[in-house]
Amino acid sequence: MPSRSELAARRQDALSDEPAASGPAVRETPNPTRRELANAIRALSMDAVQRAESGHPGAPLGMADFGAVLWNDFLRHNPANPKWFNRDRMILSNGHGSMLQYSLLHLSGYDLTIEDLRNFRQLGSRTPGHPEYGRTAGVETTTGPLGQGLANGVGMALAERALATRFNRPGFPIVDHYTYVILGDGCLMEGVSSEVSSLAGAWGLGKLICLYDDNGISIDGPVRGWFGDDVPKRFEALGWHVVPNVDGHDAEAVHEALVQARANSKQPTLICCKTTIAWGSPNKGGSEKSHGAPLGAAEVAATREAIGWRHEPFVIPPEIYAAFNARPKGAVWENEWNELFARYRTKYPEVAAEFEQRLACGFPEDWENLAWNFIQASQERHEDLATRVGSQRALQAYGPHFPSLVGGSADLMESTGIPWSGCRPVDFEHPDGNLIYYGAREFAMYAIMNGLALHGGYIPFGGTFLMFADYGRSAIRMSSLMKLRCVFVLTHDSIGVGGDGPTHQPVEHVAGLRIIPDLSVWRTCDTTETAVAWKAALERVHGPTALIFTRQKLPHQDRTPEQVQAIARGGYVLLDCGDDPEVIVIATGSEVQLAIDAARQLNGQGRRIRVVSMPSVDVFETQDAAYRESVLPAAVTRRVVVEAGVTAPWYKYAGPRGVVIGIDRFGESGSPEAIFQYFGFTTERVVAAVTDLFQPGADF
């Protein structure tokens, strides 16, 4: 087999054999060739990157041929309605090649103008440097962190197969679409690609088709020194159908490979497209110099000449537009599906109604009463339980009323309290279940959850130990960036993990999650707060939620009905001393009881101590100023915060003269009781901290 460098040389030689410097311009005919269609993508891509003076031209130029084949010959979509349910999904996992996607969206008729392309990478444009879900019509997911687009695609393909299994009927394939993923060497180097590909093979996702841009180049140069995988054998071992050694610049070869892929309904397919990065660029083709920087004005001109493109920047001939335009056939496809679904609704009215409810991911009838009745019952039971157990009880109460809810765990199913009665596991034979065994793959779990949410029809949640949130943090961040309706269940909080030791004791993780924009974080102190937190998570339609729960048992807190209602505001007065507190003690989770015990002791001595439980800082901060002032009066500057985690974020609430009792080092191995004592999480320490605020010299 020739080496990558030999293949690249051959392709460049082949290119030079085509009309180049004296070659023809795009023919003024109604039937452009496949190469001319691909060259339109090349021209738009290099022009946009050059105008921006920033970007990645090499990938779009190299992927243009197979990108044009996919979009013109196979992709079923409707540019006039990018959210049509039964469209094929196309993901550009190597998101730095965004101009490939933007060019295709523009040319095929989406609401993306030539001016948008001219504004590539500019502030406020609809063509940001990497594709962003919600910003650009037709972009199915935000990509950029390599490998995650593939992971999202696995989630989308799983959603398609599961919904098809549940709702399709003979003669009525109402769920019938493919997920196509374009990816590169960098995506396959990232560990998440192995995690999700293993699962895709195990699940037999036959409608997942990936086109691998095998150009042998990354930003640092030829990858042979650090990526020597036999990729076809690797994916065959993972249970995939592989089409190897496809010339990615031969449109007919790519077409045939896609036909082969679509013929295999039992396995996901990887099509290995051998390409040259920046194909057509006489001096930078096949080189990392084209990866992450504009070609330069002279090289753009030379590339135009080499590929026979005789048009000014951002000028596309009408025959090219006509050949790419997917609006007419997109309208036909959507109308055909609408007619199919109308017949389906007539023949299967109950199932059709269920299908529409699934896609809406809505709420059960009388949801408010259902939820608050359970919350009140939780309060009235007065049970001392680990909050992970409280979480499972909330799932048991809420889950059966949400058909779209699908849960899973990274090999910690029972430990994290994910299953509830009536759950059905997802596997090769039963993809329509609602309980996913991800194995020890936290990153894959979270990224697949994002894909499930993006596809529609699912509200995904996934459980692991809080410590291991780090493995999937990038996917949590992407969920927040896209404002997806995902719930991250994170148990075994803080040093309460005990004998598992510092490797399993997450002291910095809650703070780290709280600083992620648009992620709502709850750390609850008992089953009642846990029930409220789950209600809030399910109701948060435009953003993800992280729920932090304990391994160890926590005491139930007494509350009035008004206090129970106030939990939903993120922070509330749990124990008061009248209208004029001298000190406010703020606590969360397992440390709330310490604050309560200390306050009762001090109040018994004549002090006036208020205890505020703050299960969700971000929710509390969205409350109106009057409410926040009623809970934390600005005039009360004597404050103590207690949380078994890093201290720095809490000085915002403690103030410059307040005290934060936390832990700014790694934990120890031992019983939870001994560890809490060792690190000073005791009633005595809280009492002492409050008492010190009244010592002579304390400036209040």
Side-chain angles (χ1 to χ4, degrees):
M1 181 183 295
S3 66
R4 283 191 170 106
S5 59
E6 291 172 330
L7 284 168
R10 290 180 191 178
R11 294 188 193 102
Q12 201 61 44
D13 290 340
L15 178 62
S16 66
D17 290 336
E18 297 181 358
S22 59
V26 172
R27 299 170 300 158
E28 301 296 326
T29 74
N31 297 304
T33 67
R34 288 186 180 276
R35 178 55 51 78
E36 289 166 347
L37 295 177
N39 285 344
I41 298 169
R42 292 186 170 100
L44 287 173
S45 297
M46 66 181 179
D47 287 343
V49 173
Q50 190 62 36
R51 180 178 173 85
E53 300 183 340
S54 172
H56 300 77
L61 270 66
M63 298 186 295
D65 292 295
F66 67 74
V69 172
L70 173 62
W71 278 64
N72 285 313
D73 295 5
F74 294 95
L75 197 71
R76 288 171 63 90
H77 60 124
N78 185 5
N81 182 12
K83 294 299 184 181
W84 169 44
F85 168 73
N86 206 43
R87 69 191 183 278
D88 292 337
R89 275 67 168 172
M90 201 291 295
I91 297 169
L92 184 69
S93 188
N94 47 344
H96 55 268
S98 57
M99 272 309 305
L100 171 79
Q101 189 165 15
Y102 298 150
S103 297
L104 286 164
L105 289 169
H106 168 74
L107 291 166
S108 61
Y110 283 79
D111 182 21
L112 198 69
T113 67
I114 203 72
E115 191 62 24
D116 290 323
L117 270 57
R118 291 172 63 88
N119 287 327
F120 177 57
R121 286 184 165 236
Q122 304 309 299
L123 181 63
S125 78
R126 295 194 289 178
T127 49
H130 293 78
E132 294 182 23
Y133 173 75
R135 180 179 290 271
T136 310
V139 169
E140 300 285 358
T141 182
T142 300
T143 57
L146 294 174
Q148 288 197 61
L150 171 58
N152 298 162
V154 172
M156 292 180 190
L158 176 62
E160 190 276 342
R161 184 160 180 244
L163 291 171
T165 302
R166 173 66 187 91
F167 292 105
N168 286 357
R169 297 293 186 271
F172 292 93
I174 62 166
V175 183
D176 182 17
H177 50 267
Y178 285 84
T179 301
Y180 297 98
V181 181
I182 294 174
L183 49 87
D185 290 300
C187 291
L188 296 186
M189 293 182 214
E190 294 287 355
V192 70
S193 70
S194 292
E195 292 183 26
V196 300
S197 298
S198 175
L199 285 165
W203 293 333
L205 301 180
K207 287 188 175 177
L208 174 65
I209 299 174
C210 298
L211 293 105
Y212 167 32
D213 181 32
D214 183 12
N215 61 32
I217 297 291
S218 70
I219 199 165
D220 280 344
V223 302
R224 58 182 176 270
W226 52 85
F227 186 55
D229 296 22
D230 188 329
V231 172
K233 287 185 179 179
R234 168 182 161 188
F235 275 77
E236 286 173 357
L238 294 172
W240 285 56
H241 170 221
V242 178
V243 186
N245 298 313
V246 177
D247 185 344
H249 302 300
D250 182 338
E252 295 306 321
V254 173
H255 181 97
E256 178 57 31
L258 282 161
V259 170
Q260 290 183 43
R262 287 165 59 95
N264 189 330
S265 62
K266 300 297 185 183
Q267 296 172 288
T269 295
L270 181 73
I271 301 172
C272 300
C273 298
K274 297 288 186 179
T275 63
T276 300
I277 191 172
W279 188 95
S281 171
N283 301 301
K284 295 185 178 181
S287 167
E288 70 274 11
K289 293 180 180 178
S290 66
H291 188 287
L295 297 178
E299 189 65 12
V300 168
T303 304
R304 265 184 159 74
E305 197 69 16
I307 66 176
W309 188 263
R310 301 288 197 260
H311 303 280
E312 294 297 313
F314 300 102
V315 173
I316 301 295
E319 63 270 19
I320 297 287
Y321 277 123
F324 268 108
N325 185 15
R327 286 195 167 223
K329 57 186 179 183
V332 170
W333 288 329
E334 183 172 353
N335 286 335
E336 289 175 345
W337 186 86
N338 288 337
E339 291 171 2
L340 177 70
F341 189 75
R343 296 196 305 274
Y344 178 87
R345 185 188 284 114
T346 299
K347 188 168 184 178
Y348 305 103
E350 292 182 0
V351 183
E354 182 189 347
F355 176 74
E356 291 177 314
Q357 290 169 358
R358 284 291 299 274
L359 295 190
C361 290
F363 296 91
E365 292 184 10
D366 203 26
W367 163 243
E368 280 294 315
N369 283 335
L370 185 157
W372 282 110
N373 285 341
F374 172 72
I375 291 165
Q376 192 59 46
S378 299
Q379 180 64 29
E380 292 171 358
R381 279 195 290 268
H382 293 269
E383 291 178 302
D384 298 345
L385 295 171
T387 50
R388 63 169 173 163
V389 176
S391 171
Q392 190 171 40
R393 292 196 176 183
L395 278 169
Q396 181 61 55
Y398 301 153
H401 302 280
F402 286 85
S404 53
L405 195 64
V406 58
S409 180
D411 205 39
L412 292 167
M413 194 71 76
E414 296 297 332
S415 295
T416 54
I418 296 304
W420 71 92
S421 62
C423 285
R424 307 178 312 281
V426 170
D427 56 34
F428 185 90
E429 298 296 331
H430 307 91
D432 60 332
N434 57 359
L435 188 67
I436 303 176
Y437 288 83
Y438 290 99
R441 302 182 182 96
E442 293 85 3
F443 198 170
M445 176 173 67
Y446 292 156
I448 288 172
M449 284 168 54
N450 289 343
L452 289 165
L454 286 161
H455 178 276
Y458 287 98
I459 306 169
F461 68 97
T464 188
F465 294 174
L466 176 57
M467 183 67 229
F468 305 132
D470 277 352
Y471 282 139
R473 184 180 173 88
S474 184
I476 296 174
R477 183 179 186 273
M478 294 298 284
S479 189
S480 300
L481 183 61
M482 291 186 276
K483 297 180 171 56
L484 302 181
R485 193 180 183 183
C486 295
V487 183
F488 306 104
V489 179
L490 300 163
T491 68
H492 293 59
D493 169 39
S494 192
I495 55 176
V497 174
D500 286 334
T503 64
H504 282 53
Q505 294 170 4
V507 297
E508 76 277 27
H509 291 65
V510 175
L513 291 169
R514 285 180 179 139
I515 63 175
I516 297 177
D518 296 315
L519 176 66
S520 187
V521 180
W522 289 77
R523 184 173 187 251
T524 60
C525 76
D526 67 358
T527 58
T528 305
E529 286 193 353
T530 299
V532 174
W534 258 111
K535 179 178 183 290
L538 291 169
E539 292 176 348
R540 196 162 189 258
V541 175
H542 300 297
T545 303
L547 302 177
I548 315 299
F549 300 130
T550 64
R551 177 188 195 179
Q552 75 275 23
K553 188 182 294 185
L554 299 183
H556 172 80
Q557 299 297 329
D558 293 327
R559 299 177 181 86
T560 66
E562 293 74 22
Q563 287 174 312
V564 172
Q565 291 284 331
I567 297 171
R569 307 190 77 164
Y572 63 102
V573 178
L574 180 58
L575 179 69
D576 213 355
C577 56
D579 296 329
D580 187 25
E582 296 175 298
V583 179
I584 297 174
V585 181
I586 305 168
T588 77
S590 52
E591 288 68 69
V592 167
Q593 187 62 45
L594 293 179
I596 292 290
D597 289 344
R600 285 173 174 163
Q601 181 176 325
L602 289 161
N603 288 341
Q605 299 170 2
R607 291 293 183 190
R608 300 187 306 278
I609 313 299
R610 171 180 290 183
V611 174
V612 170
S613 177
M614 196 175 291
S616 180
V617 175
D618 59 276
V619 172
F620 179 74
E621 291 181 346
T622 65
Q623 305 304 309
D624 61 84
Y627 177 78
R628 287 183 279 117
E629 172 67 16
S630 73
V631 175
L632 298 174
V636 184
T637 57
R638 291 187 175 94
R639 296 183 180 184
V640 176
V641 181
V642 193
E643 184 176 74
V646 294
T647 60
W650 280 111
Y651 285 98
K652 173 181 180 179
Y653 285 97
R657 295 177 290 183
V659 176
V660 179
I661 299 173
I663 176 170
D664 289 316
R665 50 153 290 186
F666 295 119
E668 294 284 344
S669 181
S671 71
E673 297 79 10
I675 296 171
F676 275 107
Q677 182 77 28
Y678 178 81
F679 284 108
F681 291 96
T682 63
T683 302
E684 292 76 18
R685 186 179 177 192
V686 178
V687 169
V690 172
T691 302
D692 285 346
L693 297 176
F694 293 93
Q695 295 301 313
D699 184 21
F700 290 95

